[in-house]
C-alpha cells in the first residue's frame, strides 16, 4: 500500500529517542520531509543526519523543551516557514514522573500537566495555521493504554492522558472536516522509558527488572513487549492520506494487553 507520504511534511516532537525517534524514522522511510525536536539539539541533530544519510530525507532539527510555550511557538513557526505547511503531526513528550497518588505533590501535578497535556494544547495551537495549508492534514497524539485501563503506580499518566484523548475527540469534531485528529495508545513498548519504569518497580518490590518485565508479559497475549517500529508503523499510517476516513479514534498498539472491549 502506498501511504501517500512522499514529499509530505511531518512534524514529530520528543523525537530524539524511543517512540518519537521511531515515528520520525518511519516518516523518513516513507519519503516525508521532517521537522523534529527534543530538549537536546545535539540528539535530534544526530538523528537528522542519520535520516538524511539513510533515506535522503530533508530534516529540520531544533531544540524545543515542551514545557516552554515560547520554544513550542518557535519550533512550529520554523517548521511552517521552512516547508510552507504541515501535513502530519505526531505529538509526543517525555513521560510524567511515576508514583501513586499519595506520593505526588502539587508541584508534581503541575509539572506533569505542563509536560503531558499543556504541551499538546500548545503544539496543536501553534501547528494549526500550517496544518490549514495542507490538502490532507492529520494529527496523531501519543497517549497510553492507561486511557482505557489505569496503570498501577502511574497516577499522573493515567489522569493526564485522559485529558489528551478527550482533547483528541473534541478536536476531531471541532476541526472536522479539515483536519483529522486521532490518538495512538502504546502498551508496553521496549524503550528507555519502559526499561526505567521496570527498574523503578524492581527497586520498590526488591525484585529484578527481568522479573518485573516477565510479570508484565504474562498479561500480554502476544507474549512480549512491542518494538518502537511496531508502534511507529501504525502512527505513520494514521497520519497518512491512506487513513483518510479515520477520525477521532484511539488505536491501541499493545499486543492485546487491554482486555476491555
Ligand atoms: N514506551 C511505551 O511503551 C509507552 C507506553 C505508554 C505511554 N508512553 C509515553 O509515550 C511517550 C514517549 O515514550 P518513550 O517510551 O519514547 O520515552 P523515552 O524513551 O523516555 O523518550 C522520551 C523522549 O521525550 C523527550 N523529552 C523528554 N522531556 C522532554 C521535554 N520536556 N521537552 C521535549 N522533549 C522531551 C526525550 O528527549 P530529550 O531527552 O532529548 O529531550 C525523548 O526523546 C512518553 O510520554 C511515555 O510516557 C510510552
Amino acid at each position: 500500500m502506498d501511504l501517500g507520504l512522499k514529499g509530505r511534511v511531518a512534524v514529530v516532537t520528543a523525537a530524539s529517542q524511543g517512540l518519537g525517534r521511531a515515528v520520525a524514522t518511519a516518516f523518513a522511510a516513507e519519503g516525508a520531509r521532517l521537522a523534529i525536536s527534543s530538549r537536546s539539539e545535539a540528539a535530534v541533530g544526530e538523528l537528522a543526519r542519520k535520516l538524511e544519510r539513510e533515506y535522503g530525507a530533508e530534516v529540520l532539527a531544533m531544540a524545543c523543551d515542551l514545557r516552554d510555550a515560547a520554544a513550542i511557538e518557535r519550533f512550529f513557526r520554523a517548521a511552517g516557514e521552512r516547508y510552507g505547511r504541515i501535513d502530519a503531526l505526531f505529538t509526543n513528550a517525555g513521560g510524567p514522573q511515576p508514583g501513586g497518588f499519595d506520593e505526588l505533590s502539587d508541584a508534581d501535578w503541575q509539572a506533569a500537566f505542563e509536560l503531558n497535556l499543556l504541551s499538546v494544547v500548545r503544539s496543536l495551537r501553534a501547528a494549526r495555521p500550517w496544518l490549514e495549508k495542507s490538502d490532507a492534514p492529520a494529527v496523531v497524539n501519543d497517549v497510553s493504554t492507561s486511557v482505557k485501563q489505569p496503570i498501577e503506580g502511574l497516577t499522573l499518566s493515567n489522569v493526564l492522558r485522559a485529558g489528551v484523548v478527550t482533547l483528541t475527540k473534541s478536536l476531531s469534531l471541532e476541526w472536522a472536516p479539515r483536519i483529522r485528529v486521532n490518538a495512538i495508545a502504546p502498551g508496553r513498548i521496549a524503550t528507555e522509558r519502559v526499561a526505567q519504569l521496570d527498574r523503578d518497580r524492581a527497586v520498590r518490590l526488591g525484585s529484578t527488572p527481568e522479573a518485573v518485565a516477565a510479570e508484565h508479559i504474562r498479561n500480554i497475549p502476544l507474549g512480549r513487549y512491542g518494538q518502537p517500529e511496531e508502534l511507529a508503523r501504525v502512527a505513520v499510517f494514521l497520519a497518512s492520506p491512506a487513513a483518510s476516513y479515520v477520525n477521532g479514534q484511539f488505536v491501541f498498539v499493545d499486543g492485546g494487553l487491554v482486555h476491555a472491549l
Side-chain angles (χ1 to χ4, degrees), residues 16-17 19 38-39 65-66 92-93 95 142 161 187 189 191 193:
S16 63
Q17 66 178 45
L19 304 182
S38 83
R39 287 168 303 182
D65 187 329
L66 292 162
N92 176 47
D142 182 37
R161 310 291 185 195
I189 310 291
T191 63
R193 160 87 176 163

Side-chain angles (χ1 to χ4, degrees), residues 68-177:
D68 177 345
I72 293 175
E73 271 290 327
R74 266 197 307 278
F75 172 57
F76 281 94
R77 193 175 335 108
E81 287 176 356
R82 165 82 165 255
Y83 297 115
R85 66 174 202 268
I86 296 173
D87 298 305
L89 168 61
F90 182 72
T91 73
N92 176 47
Q97 180 186 321
F101 181 81
D102 292 337
E103 299 162 66
L104 300 169
S105 66
D106 276 6
D108 298 329
W109 280 97
Q110 191 65 40
F113 166 68
E114 288 184 11
L115 181 60
N116 295 109
L117 178 53
L118 194 53
S119 75
V120 182
V121 171
R122 287 169 168 163
S123 295
L124 293 171
R125 191 189 290 129
R128 173 94 192 267
W130 304 105
L131 288 164
E132 287 286 355
K133 292 184 188 297
S134 169
D135 60 354
V139 173
V140 177
N141 295 317
D142 182 37
V143 290
S144 164
T145 52
S146 65
V147 301
K148 190 92 159 181
Q149 181 174 294
I151 300 169
E152 186 200 340
L154 285 184
T155 303
L156 291 173
S157 175
N158 295 342
V159 173
L160 291 158
R161 310 291 185 195
V164 178
V165 291
T166 311
L167 176 65
T168 300
K169 199 70 183 176
S170 301
L171 289 183
S172 75
L173 305 169
E174 285 183 40
W175 286 3

